[in-house]
C-alpha cells in the first residue's frame, strides 16, 4: 500500500496496463527495467506510477488524477524507493515477464 495525501493506494499491473505505459512512452518498459537494474528514467517511473495506481476499491484512477497523486509521491519519497515499489509490483503482477525459459 502507498499512502498519498491521507489516502491509501496500491499499484496493480496487467498486460493491458503495461501496454498503456509502453504506448505512452514509445518503448518497452520491462526491457528498460531489466537493462537498467530497475532504475527507470523519471518519465518511465512517472508513467508506471500514473497508470498503475488503484484506489482502496481496486479501481484505476483517471490519468489526470493519478498524475496529481504521482506528483505528490515524488515530493514525499525518494526516487530509489519509488523505483523499488514499481519493480516489486510488476514482478508480483506480471511474473511471466521475468521468467528465464
Amino acid at each position: 500500500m502507498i499512502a498519498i495525501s491521507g489516502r491509501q493506494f496500491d499499484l496493480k499491473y496487467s498486460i493491458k496496463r503495461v501496454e498503456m505505459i509502453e504506448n505512452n512512452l514509445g518503448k518497452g518498459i520491462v526491457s528498460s527495467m531489466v537493462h537498467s537494474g530497475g532504475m527507470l528514467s523519471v518519465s518511465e517511473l512517472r508513467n508506471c506510477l500514473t497508470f498503475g495506481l488503484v484506489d482502496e476499491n481496486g479501481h484505476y484512477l483517471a490519468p489526470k488524477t493519478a498524475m496529481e497523486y504521482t506528483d505528490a509521491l515524488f515530493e514525499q519519497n525518494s526516487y530509489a524507493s519509488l523505483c523499488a515499489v514499481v519493480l516489486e509490483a510488476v514482478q508480483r503482477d506480471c511474473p511471466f515477464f521475468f521468467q528465464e525459459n
Side-chain angles (χ1 to χ4, degrees):
M1 287 303 235
I2 301 169
I4 311 168
S5 303
R7 291 186 61 194
Q8 294 294 317
F9 298 92
D10 204 355
L11 291 174
K12 180 75 176 154
Y13 297 101
S14 64
I15 292 176
K16 269 225 180 294
R17 280 285 147 169
V18 172
E19 284 178 325
M20 289 173 71
I21 294 164
E22 291 178 344
N23 288 336
N24 198 47
L25 290 169
K27 61 182 171 178
I29 193 67
V30 175
S31 175
S32 292
M33 287 178 178
V34 171
H35 288 99
S36 69
M39 300 306 284
L40 301 169
S41 71
V42 172
S43 63
E44 291 169 334
L45 183 56
R46 287 177 68 85
N47 275 272
C48 287
L49 290 166
T50 297
F51 288 107
L53 277 177
V54 293
D55 65 17
E56 59 277 349
N57 297 316
H59 299 115
Y60 288 102
L61 302 178
K64 184 176 180 183
T65 302
M67 185 59 79
E68 292 170 7
Y69 283 114
T70 296
D71 290 343
L73 277 173
F74 272 92
E75 291 174 12
Q76 299 168 9
N77 299 277
S78 72
Y79 164 80
S81 68
L82 292 175
C83 282
V85 169
V86 167
L87 184 59
E88 180 182 313
V90 171
Q91 288 176 322
R92 176 195 67 218
D93 297 339
C94 304
F96 47 85
F97 283 131
F98 301 96
Q99 292 176 353
E100 301 225 2
N101 297 340

